[in-house]
Amino acid sequence: MTNVAVIYYSSTGQVHELAVAAAEAAEKAGAAARLRRVAELAPEEAIRSNPEWAAHRDATRDVEEARLEDLEWADVVLLGSPTRYGLPAAQIKQFIDTTGGLWAQGKLAGKVASSFTSTSTVHGGQESTILALNNTFYHWGAIIVPPGYADPVQFAPTNGNPYGAGSVSANGTARPTEDNLAAIRFQATRCVQIAAALRRGADAA
């Protein structure tokens, strides 16, 4: 069985919804999936100043925090983050920065990896955030699997991003569209399929 770790940060819930859809799609594709949020770094004062942020933090307290063991366990790693000035959020970057030990042991090499995001506006940095997350995968020696235009859902008006699934939150007022959710489901499923194919190839070699 293929193991999939969906590791994300979400402040007001858009990336969380994409992450849940990714984990569900991975399981539907026959994989075992772990949905994991990274630790919150923002001060309580900042969180409480935004009702949506506070409500989402409180609503997702039961989602387990990501650990390095989740990465070591996984055959597929999906990282999700909102955009902060065209870059991943500090919270997920902090988690990435703890992976040096696994990287040094070669335990992240050869994993299938992909990423997804959410932005406030249509041109708010989706591609740059995904490409920044993917820089991590290059250093790990992972096998980056983008969605590309490999499924009709990628041509939907609210998708069209070959780098990774994304949504537009309209400054936290909008939720991912059904097309956005379909895109991340396709992306997760594709990663599972490719990881399984790689395993079959290795077993046959």
Side-chain angles (χ1 to χ4, degrees):
M1 178 178 287
T2 301
N3 295 331
V4 179
V6 182
I7 298 174
Y8 74 96
Y9 173 71
S10 187
S11 53
T12 56
Q14 286 80 6
V15 175
H16 170 76
E17 288 187 39
L18 295 171
V20 169
E24 291 174 348
E27 290 181 340
K28 188 174 181 180
R34 292 183 182 179
L35 179 70
R36 299 289 188 265
R37 60 179 176 84
V38 299
E40 179 61 82
L41 302 178
E44 185 67 22
E45 181 180 359
I47 297 170
R48 288 296 172 190
S49 70
N50 183 328
E52 289 79 14
W53 191 356
H56 177 68
R57 192 275 307 271
D58 294 344
T60 56
R61 287 188 186 276
D62 291 340
V63 179
E64 291 186 42
E65 281 193 8
R67 299 175 298 162
L68 294 178
E69 190 274 333
D70 297 316
L71 289 178
E72 190 169 0
W73 167 84
D75 304 301
V76 175
V77 177
L78 288 161
L79 293 184
S81 173
T83 291
R84 299 289 184 263
Y85 299 114
L87 295 167
Q91 288 86 344
I92 199 152
K93 180 61 166 59
Q94 192 276 337
F95 176 75
I96 290 169
D97 287 348
T98 69
T99 65
L102 290 179
W103 164 80
Q105 298 173 69
K107 291 184 176 181
L108 301 174
K111 295 181 184 294
V112 167
S114 202
S115 52
F116 58 97
T117 190
S118 178
T119 54
S120 291
T121 60
V122 174
H123 298 292
Q126 288 192 13
E127 289 91 343
S128 63
T129 299
I130 290 170
L131 291 171
L133 286 167
N134 287 357
N135 285 337
T136 299
F137 302 145
Y138 297 129
H139 285 262
W140 286 357
I143 300 166
I144 299 172
V145 176
Y149 290 106
D151 187 89
V153 72
Q154 292 301 106
F155 294 92
T158 58
N159 292 333
N161 184 346
Y163 304 96
S167 69
V168 175
S169 72
N171 294 313
T173 64
R175 314 312 302 176
T177 67
E178 183 51 44
D179 283 340
N180 298 156
L181 295 172
I184 188 61
R185 291 182 190 114
F186 166 68
Q187 186 174 344
T189 300
R190 186 166 193 247
C191 287
V192 170
Q193 292 171 341
I194 290 177
L198 290 170
R199 177 177 291 174
R200 288 195 298 272
D203 290 344

